[in-house]
Amino acid sequence: MTWESRPSVIVIGDGPAGLTAAYRLIPSGCRITLLSLSSRAGEDFRDVSDPPLPILGCHHATWALLRSLGIERDPSMFAESTLEFLLSDGRLAHYPKTLFPTPLQQLLTIGRFAGLSAPERWKLLSWLEQLWEGSLELASDLEQRTALHWLGSLNYSQSSLQSVWNPLAAWLAGNDLDHLSADAFVMALKPFFLSGASNSRIWVSREPWDRLFVEPITN
C-alpha cells in the first residue's frame, strides 16, 4: 500500500482491542495516536494480582497475534487447564477431553459428561445428529429469543440450566442466559464444542497478561 502522505489514525482505548488495532496499523505506515485514561498503555492489565486470562484453542486470531509478538504456545509459557462445573449437589463434573476426529470427539465428550443427566446427554446428541444430517434446522428466530427461553424450549432441567448452561454462557459470552440472545450463545458454543479437538483446549498463561501481551505490544 502506498500513501501520498502518512495517514493519521486515532485509536480510542488501550484495552486488548485498542492495542491490537494500533499494532496492526503501524506496518501500514500510519501515524497512531492512542487515547487512554491512564498515562501508561494497558494500565488495566498491569495488576499482577489479577487472575490469568484463559485463551481457548479456537481463539486463532489471538494465537496469531501472540506468535507475531514472538510468544509461542509451549509448556514454559502456558499451562493447559480443564473445564469443570460445580453441580447443584456439590459434585464437581469435569468436561472430558479427547483427541479423536470431530464427530467422535463430540460423541465421546458429550456422552461422558456427567454434568448433564443421561437422558439430557442422549437428547443433546440426538438433536446434534439431526442437525448434522439436515433433518432439523436451528430456529430462525434465535436473535429475538434469549438463550434461557430457547434452552427452556428444549426441555433442559432447571438444575442443568443453573449448573452447566448458565456458567457456559457467562464464561464464553460474558452474559447470563437471560441476558444473552440464543443466536449469540450458539455462535459462542460452536467453535469451542462443535469443532476440532484442538479448538476445545484451554490454555492459561504462566506469565501476567502485562508481561505476555502489554509489554511486547507497546515495545
Side-chain angles (χ1 to χ4, degrees), residues 142-162:
L142 292 184
E143 289 186 0
Q144 286 76 46
R145 301 166 67 183
T146 66
L148 181 63
H149 180 271
W150 175 60
L151 289 171
S153 71
L154 299 177
N155 297 318
Y156 285 104
S157 67
Q158 283 298 315
S159 176
S160 64
L161 288 173
Q162 294 172 6

Side-chain angles (χ1 to χ4, degrees), residues 80-93:
E80 188 170 0
S81 185
T82 57
L83 190 59
E84 299 175 339
F85 297 87
L86 181 62
L87 305 184
S88 56
D89 59 5
R91 290 183 298 123
L92 198 62

Side-chain angles (χ1 to χ4, degrees), residues 5-205:
S5 61
R6 291 178 64 192
S8 296
V9 178
I10 296 177
V11 177
I12 301 175
D14 62 346
L19 289 177
T20 301
Y23 175 73
R24 293 300 193 196
L25 285 168
I26 285 174
S28 300
C30 298
R31 293 189 185 94
I32 306 298
T33 300
L34 185 66
L35 299 185
S36 170
L37 292 175
S38 60
S39 58
R40 300 172 65 201
E43 185 69 30
D44 290 341
F45 295 92
R46 294 182 183 273
D47 189 349
V48 296
S49 65
D50 289 342
L53 295 175
I55 307 176
L56 309 184
C58 60
H59 291 163
H60 301 297
T62 300
W63 289 115
L65 173 65
L66 291 176
R67 284 193 298 271
S68 72
L69 296 171
I71 297 168
E72 297 294 333
R73 183 169 55 192
D74 61 62
S76 66
M77 292 292 294
F78 295 92
E80 188 170 0
S81 185
T82 57
L83 190 59
E84 299 175 339
F85 297 87
L86 181 62
L87 305 184
S88 56
D89 59 5
R91 290 183 298 123
L92 198 62
H94 301 263
Y95 191 76
K97 295 189 302 181
T98 72
L99 296 177
F100 291 98
T102 300
L104 283 176
Q105 182 213 196
Q106 294 165 8
L107 175 66
L108 293 174
T109 53
I110 295 173
R112 294 161 51 211
F113 176 49
L116 297 175
S117 66
E120 287 185 331
R121 277 177 271 166
W122 177 255
K123 180 168 55 180
L124 178 56
L125 287 171
S126 299
W127 182 73
L128 288 173
E129 181 185 16
Q130 293 177 70
L131 288 178
W132 296 332
E133 292 177 345
S135 59
L136 180 69
E137 293 184 356
L138 286 171
S140 59
D141 63 344
L142 292 184
E143 289 186 0
Q144 286 76 46
R145 301 166 67 183
T146 66
L148 181 63
H149 180 271
W150 175 60
L151 289 171
S153 71
L154 299 177
N155 297 318
Y156 285 104
S157 67
Q158 283 298 315
S159 176
S160 64
L161 288 173
Q162 294 172 6
S163 299
V164 175
W165 295 108
N166 199 62
L168 270 179
W171 181 58
L172 290 173
N175 278 310
D176 292 338
L177 291 174
D178 55 350
H179 292 102
L180 184 68
S181 76
D183 182 64
F185 189 42
V186 170
M187 293 299 293
L189 291 174
K190 278 183 177 179
F192 184 71
F193 290 101
L194 303 178
S195 56
S198 62
N199 286 340
S200 61
R201 299 177 75 175
I202 306 170
W203 301 90
V204 179
S205 169

